[in-house]
Amino acid sequence: MTTRQPRIQTQQAQTQLGRAAVRIFAANERMNQMLIEHLDPAAWRAKPHGNTRPIAAIFTHMHNMRNKWVRLTAPHLKVPAQLNRTHCTPQQARAGLAESAARCAEMLAEALGGGRGRIEKFRRDGWVRPWPVGVEMLCYMLSHEAHHRGQVCMLAHQLGFPLPIKVTSGIWNWEKLWKECGSGGAGFDS
């Protein structure tokens, strides 16, 4: 009897980790949606100085990278269509990001939730060494997106289209974000 208890506790911990990862990634996606919702339409294609990507290209890159993570890490999941950075509208970006976020959530739930073992490695790109599945996978994904959200906020400001304070401070209000995503937040297993 005592030999089975640690395995059950490990499975429960994995299930909780998988559910938490899905909730966290949903809050991450809500931040992206908030930025696009409140971004001045003129900022979407405005050309920054130098060799800097426009805001439209940043959001399409985020979506397309998610697709790459899913395609390489969880090839059994349906990969959403790529977005074209030169022709993508804010509405297309919002829809695409919502769809790729859903696929990433499925991948995280399976990888970190004690799934059937189909996902064993996180493959960020075809040219880098894969990582064992773990919380590092989620951390990498969140860091990538936070980096690009920072670029978007900075570019919007530099281009003369600053985002409202309620948005730039709102992306830090995790309790509200979790609630908007249908979760109780940190420590809640809903």
Side-chain angles (χ1 to χ4, degrees):
M1 290 270 192
T2 56
T3 57
R4 296 191 127 230
Q5 188 176 2
R7 184 174 180 196
I8 291 169
Q9 288 174 345
T10 301
Q11 288 173 336
Q12 288 172 341
Q14 280 296 104
T15 301
Q16 289 172 344
L17 177 60
R19 285 195 297 257
V22 168
R23 287 193 307 270
I24 291 166
F25 204 77
N28 170 74
E29 175 55 17
R30 181 68 193 118
M31 293 175 202
N32 296 331
Q33 295 290 333
M34 286 172 61
L35 293 182
I36 298 173
E37 282 171 31
H38 293 93
L39 187 67
D40 187 308
W44 186 252
R45 294 230 179 274
K47 179 68 179 123
H49 295 291
N51 196 19
T52 304
R53 296 180 208 192
I55 290 172
I58 293 171
F59 279 114
T60 57
H61 164 76
M62 291 167 67
H63 168 78
N64 293 339
M65 285 306 300
R66 288 175 176 180
N67 286 351
K68 182 181 278 192
W69 299 334
V70 171
R71 180 176 49 83
L72 296 174
T73 303
H76 57 281
L77 296 178
K78 183 179 185 232
V79 179
Q82 295 276 7
L83 293 176
N84 183 313
R85 66 183 178 158
T86 57
H87 302 294
C88 185
T89 66
Q91 295 77 16
Q92 290 169 329
R94 288 188 68 200
L97 284 164
E99 188 178 1
S100 61
R103 290 304 82 68
C104 285
E106 288 178 52
M107 177 177 71
L108 289 165
E110 188 174 328
L112 302 177
R116 291 170 259 151
R118 287 195 283 186
I119 300 176
E120 296 175 358
K121 301 279 184 188
F122 175 52
R123 292 171 171 80
R124 299 167 293 153
D125 210 327
W127 56 270
V128 295
R129 178 177 289 179
W131 294 348
V133 166
V135 74
E136 299 85 358
M137 173 182 182
L138 174 63
C139 291
Y140 178 85
M141 293 167 72
L142 295 172
S143 296
H144 179 264
E145 302 222 343
H147 163 72
H148 289 302
R149 275 194 301 274
Q151 285 183 317
V152 166
C153 291
M154 180 187 67
L155 274 174
H157 185 81
Q158 290 174 342
L159 292 167
F161 306 104
L163 287 152
I165 276 292
K166 71 175 187 165
V167 175
T168 56
S169 61
I171 63 176
W172 291 100
N173 189 343
W174 280 78
E175 289 80 5
K176 184 177 179 188
L177 292 167
W178 274 316
K179 196 175 200 176
E180 289 175 6
C181 296
S183 169
F188 292 93
D189 206 15
S190 56

